Amino acid sequence: MHGNKNYISALTIAGSDSCGGAGIQADIKTLSALGCYACSVVTAVTAQNTLGVQDVMTVPADMVAKQLRAVLDDIRPMAVKSGMLDNELTIAAIADTLIDYPPMPFVVDPVMVSTSGRPLMTKKAVSALVERLLPLAALLTPNLPEAETLSCMTISTDTDLRLAARRILDMGCQAVLIKGGHCDTTEKTDWLFTKDGTSIPYRSISIDTVNSHGTGCTLSAAITAGLARGLTLTEAVSLGKRYISQALMAGKDIAIGHGHGPVNHFFNPQKLIIQS
């Protein structure tokens, strides 16, 4: 017999990471650690470890759509994020499916290159992402190289950053968080730009660690958890930034594998949040 209580649920649409530090595994860990019931749609299976990605096998686009409909028809998550989407057919299938359902906060993490440097999206897939998914996105979370690819420009100054953000916002997303983690400085700054002209810096101290595998996935999943929990976008980004900094700090001296290890997703896990 069904009761009248629900978990706060969230959905990740992403690739699987066999070593558990990034992709769908990182998303499930993050959503769970932040009190959300995590659902998943697998877009690709990767053979990878902390040293890099050895191979990728794409899940057929119609199977991606079937997974997505199965979740949306039944559980109806309160927020959704996408990660690795490696081809245009998968992206089209996701867009065509999402528009059949009531809109929910959608965080798009444009995973274009792995931490180890392997390209994870074709040029056609990047075009499809811009044309089909960005207009559905509440937030896009590119790192600096991804923001440069999307905006077709080099970003080296604050003026460049703002121009790139405007170009990306003009593609249809409601907000863009350009991550500064690739800057070689003692302080990292992520900038949130929104359609209404707001720009907010989120500053954090650089953490000296090789355990940075899956940080982008983890941050976008944490923001998604915040949105699912009913936070505003700026509150959700603040939650995500706090969570990733603490997860990096908690895992910085731990050895898992021989390369870029994961963050510590479960430094302070919360119980599943139950709504009445």
Side-chain angles (χ1 to χ4, degrees), residues 77-91:
M78 294 159 190
V80 59
K81 70 150 283 189
S82 65
M84 180 186 171
L85 309 173
D86 65 344
N87 71 86
E88 66 276 15
L89 295 177
T90 296
I91 291 166

Side-chain angles (χ1 to χ4, degrees), residues 69-113:
R69 285 192 187 279
V71 175
L72 295 177
D73 283 343
D74 185 24
I75 294 176
R76 294 290 173 93
M78 294 159 190
V80 59
K81 70 150 283 189
S82 65
M84 180 186 171
L85 309 173
D86 65 344
N87 71 86
E88 66 276 15
L89 295 177
T90 296
I91 291 166
I94 292 165
D96 289 342
T97 304
L98 285 176
I99 58 177
D100 286 344
Y101 295 86
M104 67 200 94
F106 183 23
V107 176
V108 175
D109 184 16
V111 183
M112 296 179 180
V113 180

Side-chain angles (χ1 to χ4, degrees), residues 201-232:
Y202 293 84
R203 295 184 173 90
S204 55
I205 301 300
S206 293
I207 296 167
D208 184 20
T209 178
V210 298
N211 294 334
S212 58
H213 185 55
T215 48
C217 308
T218 298
L219 174 60
S220 58
I223 295 169
T224 305
L227 293 172
R229 287 163 49 168
L231 300 183
T232 65

Side-chain angles (χ1 to χ4, degrees), residues 30-100:
T30 302
L31 294 170
S32 301
L34 289 170
C36 295
Y37 180 84
C39 309
S40 62
V41 170
V42 181
T43 60
V45 177
T46 67
Q48 69 172 294
N49 53 30
T50 64
L51 298 170
V53 179
Q54 283 86 53
D55 205 356
V56 178
M57 183 179 74
T58 302
V59 173
D62 65 329
M63 185 59 189
V64 172
K66 285 174 183 175
Q67 292 176 76
L68 186 51
R69 285 192 187 279
V71 175
L72 295 177
D73 283 343
D74 185 24
I75 294 176
R76 294 290 173 93
M78 294 159 190
V80 59
K81 70 150 283 189
S82 65
M84 180 186 171
L85 309 173
D86 65 344
N87 71 86
E88 66 276 15
L89 295 177
T90 296
I91 291 166
I94 292 165
D96 289 342
T97 304
L98 285 176
I99 58 177
D100 286 344

Side-chain angles (χ1 to χ4, degrees), residues 247-263:
L248 274 163
M249 184 63 74
K252 73 184 182 71
D253 298 321
I254 309 298
I256 293 286
H258 297 87
H260 290 284
V263 303

